[in-house]
Amino acid sequence: KITMKNLCVFTSFDSSHANVDDETLGEKVKSQCGFVNGICSPALLEGEESPVMIAEFQSASVKRVVRSTLSAEGYGASEGSEAADRIASIEHSKEFPLKPKVLWMTDSKGLHDVVKKECGMPKDKRLRIVVAALKQAYQEENVTFQWIDTLMMMADALTKDGVDASI
């Protein structure tokens, strides 16, 4: 059960690299990112089933040229995490002085590892900045970051054609 005293905010973000057709070039060159954000109970933070209320979702092309899947995933994570932080800030008020916990979910093991663990930074300068911002938000905020199986990825249908959108 979700109550105002125990609610948490979640974001499920995903991206795909060069999977959208560019009609002028006749090939797949555009990358897509998407996220689903909402409110859940603390059970989801523990990897258990939880009721969720979807507050917003987005599917859009990545606004920068990306050279790898990790770059696309990083930009998608940045968009999703910022939107989740806005929701958490709205829920934070005088009546509820503690900012809700936030859960980030990705099916990109590479992104999960580079943000959560102390492994090497990417060589691409723009991607290093995105990863550094994600690391800072992860370390400073009340954030749990989970890798989840692609079959459980809510945002998968926002970034790829022909994906089963049922969970």
Side-chain angles (χ1 to χ4, degrees):
K1 183 177 176 179
I2 302 172
T3 67
M4 287 301 289
K5 292 183 181 178
N6 77 351
L7 68 81
C8 300
V9 174
F10 73 88
T11 182
S12 172
F13 39 76
D14 194 27
S15 295
S16 57
H17 178 248
N19 77 326
V20 179
D21 287 326
D22 184 321
E23 293 174 13
T24 59
L25 297 175
E27 59 185 43
K28 294 182 183 288
V29 295
K30 295 181 181 177
S31 298
Q32 192 78 7
C33 66
F35 63 81
V36 177
N37 290 346
I39 296 171
C40 62
S41 76
L44 198 60
L45 295 168
E46 305 300 322
E48 300 171 13
E49 287 189 19
S50 166
V52 297
M53 183 184 80
I54 295 176
E56 77 178 309
F57 64 90
Q58 175 181 318
S59 178
S61 60
V62 176
K63 304 297 183 230
R64 295 196 180 265
V65 174
V66 294
R67 296 180 177 92
S68 68
T69 300
L70 183 60
S71 292
E73 294 282 357
Y75 285 112
S78 178
E79 294 287 327
S81 63
E82 288 175 10
D85 189 55
R86 283 192 302 273
I87 294 170
S89 295
I90 291 168
E91 298 301 331
H92 173 67
S93 67
K94 289 180 182 178
E95 292 177 37
F96 302 100
L98 295 176
K99 193 172 179 182
K101 292 181 180 179
V102 178
L103 171 62
W104 295 354
M105 294 179 281
T106 184
D107 64 351
S108 171
K109 190 73 169 145
L111 178 68
H112 178 267
D113 290 350
V114 77
V115 170
K116 197 169 179 182
K117 299 177 181 171
E118 294 297 322
C119 47
M121 289 293 275
K123 293 186 192 290
D124 181 273
K125 282 191 245 181
R126 287 184 284 180
L127 180 55
R128 275 200 311 259
I129 292 169
V130 170
V131 168
L134 289 168
K135 279 186 176 211
Q136 183 175 356
Y138 170 69
Q139 292 167 352
E140 290 180 0
E141 300 293 327
N142 198 6
V143 173
T144 300
F145 193 12
Q146 292 179 355
W147 173 84
I148 61 171
D149 189 282
T150 301
L151 296 173
M152 299 303 295
M153 173 52 68
M154 286 186 260
D156 209 32
L158 299 174
T159 61
K160 297 164 192 75
D161 284 336
V163 173
D164 181 8
S166 64
I167 295 181

